[in-house]
Amino acid sequence: MNRKKDKGFESPRPYKLTHQVVCINNINFQRKSVIGYVELTIFPTVVNLNRIKLNSKQCRIYRVRVNDLEAPFIYNDPTLEVCHHEAKQRNLNYFSSAYTAAVSAVDPDTGNGELSIKVPSELWKQGDEMKVLKVYIEFSLDQPKGGLHFVVPDVEGSLAERGAHVFSFGYQNSTRFWFPCVDSFSELCTWKLEFTVDAAMVAVSCGDLVETIYTHDMRKKTFHYMLPIPTAAPNISLAVGPFEILVDPYMHEVTHFCLPQLLPLLKHTMSYLHEVFEFYEEILTCRYPYSCFKTVFVDEAYVQVASYASMSIFSTNLLHSGLIIDQTPATRRYLAQALAQQFFGCFISRMSWSDEWVLKGISGYIYGLYLKKTFGVNEYRHWIKQELDKIVEYELKTGGVLLHPTFTGGKEKDNPTPHLHFSIRNPHTLSWEYYKMFQCKAHLVMRLIENRISMEFMLQVFNKLLSLASTASSQKYQSHMWSQMLLSTSGFLKSISNVSGKDIGPLIKQWVDQSGVVKFFGSFAFNRKRNVLELEIRQDCTSSGTQKYVGPIKVTVQELDGSFNHTLQIEENSLKHDIPCHSKSRRNKKKKIPLMNGEEVDMDLSAMDADSPLLWIRIDPDMSILRKVEFEQADFMWQYQLRYERDVVAQEEAISALEVFPTAASRLALTDILEQDQCFYRVRMQACFCLAKIANAMVSTWTGPPAMKSLFTRMFCCKSCPNIVKTNNFINFQSYFLQKTMPVAMALLRDIHNLCPKEVLNFILDLIKYNDNRKNKFSDNYYRAELIDALTNSLTPAISVNNEVRTVESLSADVRLVLEEVTRFLNMEKLLPSYRNTITVSCLRAIRMLQKNGHLPSDPSLFKSYAEYGHFVDVRIAALEAVVDYTRVDRSSDELQWLLDMVHTDPVHYVRHKILSMLSKNPPFTKAAESCLCNEALVDQLWKLMNSGTSHDWRLRCDAVNLYHTLFGLSRPSCLPLPELGLVLNLKEKKAVLNPTIKPEQDASVPEPPPELVFVSCKEEPFQMKEELVLSGVALAPQGLKRKADTPLASPPEPGQVLQEETVFKGPVKSRFPTQEEEDIDMDTVHDSQAFIYHHLNMLERPSTPGREPPVVEQQAVMPTPAPPAPPFVKESSAPSRHVGVHQHHHRHHHEHKKKKKKHKHKHKHKHKHESKGKERDKDRDPHVFGSSPARSPSLSD
Amino acid sequence: MADPAVMGSASLNAGTRTGGTKATTSPAENYYLARRRTLQVVVSSLLTECGFESSEKAAVETLTEMMQSYITEVGRCAKANCEHTARSTPTLSDVVITLVEMGFNVDTLPVYAKRSQRMVITAPPVTNAPVTPKALVAGQKRTHPAYIPSHFPEFPDPHTYIKTPTFREPVSDYQVVREKAASQRRDVERALTRFMAKTGETQSLFKDDLTAFPLIAARPSSIPYLSALLPSELELQMLEETDSSEQDEQTDTENNSNIIHDDAGADKENTVLPPGGVVPTVKTNDDNMIDNPYLRPVKKPKVRRKK
């Protein structure tokens, strides 16, 4: 195993951070700017600490001082623009590797950072004595695009009256967006946080509020926070606004904050939180680690819930009043999630990215325990099944989710997940969907561990981890102890084996170190002579996303005499398993049948096969394998399983299996379940939809009223007049959910003409008409919304006469009725808005469906108006979804453009994210199909979006990558003209082939073409890398090149780039590089793209934050400190070689190591210098190139 | 030419004209004006008799007023006299007594009436006597029972003293009630939304017919979450109606959190309260202080701090 055996944490940094002060002394809501400083107290751990790397993005840094001495610094953020220059390269493989390289280049977990501070030489001595260093950084943020989000409503009144607020957000470690720090989950320190805000506002942050002091003019106040528990920077957050304050009535150290006017909702929503606290503290036998807890509800939240040390930031849309049913469980779940993450995620942090799964797993697991306790076992099992289905579906679709990737030696070739179009090496390169699935799998695996070692041990392990951490946290200034607060995979596994004494190695190997799920196919035969059940279990372990399972599997067989569990051993070659049956198939004796839970029931056994005693069989009933089971058993067995098996998972499985058995018996079984009010409501809801499907399949033989109609009438309509629904009374939630669902399912019924039966439509219209909520204790907004959904479901395509324009006259009578209801609801919503505007959302969907089915003219303008900023976010998303759909159906480039513009300009991050993910889910075209939308401009635009347009938001960038992948695939988009290097000459085989980059993707994982190829340039352009590239041009080609291949790179460059280079230069093969001058010069490997060089070349040009002394900084960036020797690379000076650029990129890094390499090519130094300067000039001439860099944007310095 | 009579009639004409225009408004007024005019004519002719050639309008008015007062007083007293003797219609003797009581020498009256230069005044223009508006008659008036003399006033309309069914029998049929409630609500809603759509900006679903199915235009609001999250007035009202006891409880807790303060020691214990344990109302009585840093007063700046 590759896992580190010693659990000791080794910091990648040559120093240890012990304390950090963050002081933000001005927050300007009008200009959306922030000014402040940070002070980091660090202990060097090496003798000569001369350089400190910190993380900082988009901050403008004014000055840096180390122990009161001005320190020069360099600011370089390669993620601002991933691939530099307008390279013609447009393939995603290339982008992904470049992006991974860029992210790794500033990854704090490898000791890197955007901000490199040179420790003044006066302090070097001090470093010898390992004295403490204080790094003081003044910074400002102007209109931050990430990290902090300002919400400033445009209404009358003071800022506080308008409800203006600001809060921090981010995906994973994103604190660097709003103050310079070591943005790693593994670098813990204590914190002092100070925020000066308007007197009418409150600043909520991590830790204890020590005091609040007015400024001298009494117009502002300063909030002083202390966080004595060592905490990682990504767990620090801030929220400032005119919040209303609610002290929790049950726990006075817990404080809730919400925006003005929402206090009554906050009170109701939070009346419940103490129970969650009690639950976690009880099961973990551990007190909540922080001395206080704060919840803040903000508008335009990035995610529904974000957890930080001792505080959580929620979306304000989770608040609800006592009238609302549906939102209540959802909000409680979020609260429970947030609190679980306080223990595991905030208090206990992770050692490295590959240990993330442990934290997500544990917090998800204890959250699951909470669900089980609060919502019941049925709900819990249902949830587990849902999560399992989700992960199985995702893994089978995409090829696997790997929880604990191990990167040996950091080689790109060892990519553990070649099936993905992104790298899982870093959280910031992950697609959001993958990350969600990752969390899902993590908690499922924790549950598997629980199955293995028992819950008691599991909780003991957690308790142990927590108590170790809390002991460590109380150690002041003994920072080496703090690493106990970091959790690693190995540490976790060690705890498990210590506590339980069990070896869970195989389990971990199967599910954690390996990706994929198991796919079982099961079938059986009953051997009457031997009275044996012959079970055959096969596995599909070849298709993507699957893995082979070897080990025990539980099979439950329900026989006439009872239910029996059998544990079978799945081995390499054994497919068949013989299971002896306990009962004889005698049925003359009428007797009750014992079930698994001890219950004894009467069954009507007439449907059974007379010879077999088997009622039903279940494979892996406890879901103790991450698997998908396709099991074949007769329809009557499924029906028995549905009726009599008491496990909700079994019932749900039976329902989905019955979909393919449209018989009267299935109908009866489903109807019986529907009527049984002891049955879990979700099962009954699922049965509704299954019944609708079956009814449609049986349409020709169906007798009686439409499915579910009489049932609904009996349950919810008046006794005296069965066509009128009772006035609403939702006090019984189970029947409420059923009442909501049944009409929706009924509307899916179709008659022989494939139309929704008139009877059903009228029935739904009557439900709407007679809906009366006056006597109800609860709001009926969700119910009404579902009735509209039912109307939507009832729609069928219009009979269109040769594509005429849809007019009012052409509306059919039924559709007219539907449309009338929809418009009335939509209009009423303007006057009496419903909670979360659920009704508007449903109406918009209905209208889109009417358009899609040809009843209304297809027109996106209505949706576009609802998608505007200023509508409730749910409404916007629904409207955008309609626009996305329109874009696909009508192939409208205008709308696509409009959507992409919105991705650029919309103020709400969540909306931007949703647009891209909806576009990926419902793409206007895919790589497989030709489309008029697929053109070069679009490719350029999307490329730009992911390349530089989304540098402020990791999640959004990954969304853009996803979309690009969906639209164009991994290779070069087909709509692009062939790159200039059309033909490639294979010197070995002496023939010209098409440039592999142009070919449609054959092997996604290998972006580079074989190294033996030589480009035959059709035009000269690709080589127009001009003289400026030839910076360190050196010596002559052949030897030089050879040498280069061996020479270790001068400096320890960013790991990502090393990867690149290694692949590039790996092959020692020589090839030719035809140029004007030297047609026959041997060259080293040739990389497939010139853009790659541009990329590296332009690392140089990355904008740096101008320091206080611009000349110094400038100098640093270009030509850092004492005489930098030219990089030790050999290069033909005039050959338009790609390698030049490649190395050029390291140019800056080399100076750091200048001393080590002395005697190299001094003669080229001047040239080098000259060129760099020239480049610098170019840069100045072309300022728009850097437009996207916040570091350069005009700032508040004046 | 300055014939007072002419003058009088002139003013009278004028009066008629104005009166005429007004007459259209109400017959009672019309009648009053006619009487007044007649009196004016009388006064004018008396003045002429006495030798006046002209008089100021105000004087005539005053005299008319006096005359009218006098006649009214005579009538009133005569009626009083007659009622005094338990009759309902005044007789001559009543009038005579009245005149006597007012100090008028009744004996001079025949002589004055037969004087030679007496002017004869034409009858006042016919005006319709004021029609007392017909009282609304509702139902059959009851006739007097036998023991009540017939001269006693008639019974008033029955609706004034007995319970009259002014509404129809309430429809008790459940179906109809629901039907009605539903259609009523729907009509109201439709009318309201149509009205709103007519008066405001709209969006339409059809390009050819902009008025079919008008939609009230979507208008972004600056704080969209407020309307989306807060329950509407209507819903709040409903909540109050359906469950007022719960509402009380809520206000109770509200007071607790705002007013009641617990001290630091107490709140440490709160976290380990048994599940579903003490309701805050119990603690309310302790009258302690909640030690929450966000509730503490903001401190004044002390010394100038160096940044």
Side-chain angles (χ1 to χ4, degrees), chain A residues 282-429:
Chain A
E282 200 178 308
I283 61 158
L284 298 171
T285 46
C286 171
R287 286 197 55 111
Y288 176 68
Y290 300 98
S291 57
C292 60
F293 181 58
K294 286 139 288 186
T295 62
V296 189
F297 289 81
V298 296
D299 189 25
E300 299 179 11
Y302 185 72
V303 283
Q304 296 290 301
V305 44
S307 291
Y308 303 97
S310 85
M311 77 183 276
S312 292
I313 296 181
F314 296 91
S315 160
T316 197
N317 305 334
L318 295 179
L319 294 174
H320 59 86
S321 70
L323 294 167
I324 307 302
I325 297 175
D326 300 47
Q327 184 64 45
T328 309
T331 300
R332 291 187 179 180
R333 281 167 173 243
Y334 281 120
L335 289 183
Q337 257 170 10
L339 213 50
Q341 285 166 7
Q342 287 290 313
F343 290 92
F344 292 94
C346 296
F347 180 61
I348 292 191
S349 187
R350 69 176 188 229
M351 207 168 268
S352 71
W353 162 237
S354 58
D355 304 317
E356 168 82 350
W357 76 274
V358 185
L359 290 171
K360 286 292 171 213
I362 298 179
S363 59
Y365 168 76
I366 59 174
Y367 160 68
L369 294 181
Y370 165 79
L371 282 189
K372 200 196 288 187
K373 183 235 163 197
T374 314
F375 297 102
V377 175
N378 283 347
E379 180 74 37
Y380 173 72
R381 287 189 64 89
H382 169 81
W383 175 66
I384 292 288
K385 177 178 189 296
Q386 226 178 11
E387 297 276 287
L388 184 59
D389 288 351
K390 259 198 278 181
I391 186 76
V392 164
E393 189 198 350
Y394 182 81
E395 293 211 37
L396 292 180
K397 190 181 83 194
T398 60
V401 171
L402 184 56
L403 288 183
H404 183 65
T406 42
F407 306 100
T408 44
K411 303 263 193 318
E412 188 74 4
K413 284 272 159 64
D414 303 331
N415 183 359
T417 51
H419 51 275
L420 298 171
H421 60 275
F422 47 85
S423 159
I424 59 164
R425 178 178 295 275
N426 199 296
H428 298 150
T429 56

Side-chain angles (χ1 to χ4, degrees), chain A residues 155 211-212 214 225 249-250 252-253 255 267 294 299 725 769-771 807 821 824 827 836 865 870, chain B residues 178-179 185-186 189 203 208 214 216 221-222 225 228-229 235 254 262 267 270-271 283 292 294 299:
Chain A
V155 280
E211 55 185 358
T212 318
Y214 278 114
Y225 285 91
Y250 297 89
H252 292 170
E253 61 274 47
T255 321
K267 269 177 200 156
K294 286 139 288 186
D299 189 25
V725 68
K769 181 176 167 193
Y770 292 118
N771 178 44
T807 57
E821 292 300 331
R824 189 171 55 85
N827 283 337
R836 291 193 78 152
S865 73
Chain B
R178 289 292 300 275
E179 176 81 52
R185 199 195 44 193
R186 170 176 301 228
E189 283 184 9
Q203 288 164 322
D208 56 329
I216 301 174
S221 88
S222 352
Y225 60 84
L229 297 181
E235 281 175 312
E254 191 173 318
D262 257 289
D267 61 19
N270 289 338
T271 41
K283 284 184 291 158
N292 186 295
Y294 294 94
K299 292 182 186 167

Side-chain angles (χ1 to χ4, degrees), chain A residues 204-259:
Chain A
V204 188
S205 186
C206 302
D208 301 312
L209 176 63
V210 182
E211 55 185 358
T212 318
I213 302 176
Y214 278 114
T215 52
H216 288 278
D217 57 3
M218 301 291 280
R219 283 159 67 186
K220 291 185 169 194
K221 46 190 185 183
T222 308
F223 287 78
H224 294 265
Y225 285 91
M226 287 288 281
L227 183 56
I229 291 178
T231 301
N235 282 327
I236 298 298
S237 73
L238 167 68
V240 177
F243 298 121
E244 304 212 30
I245 301 172
L246 171 70
V247 178
D248 195 290
Y250 297 89
M251 306 168 289
H252 292 170
E253 61 274 47
V254 176
T255 321
H256 312 298
F257 300 87
C258 68
L259 292 164

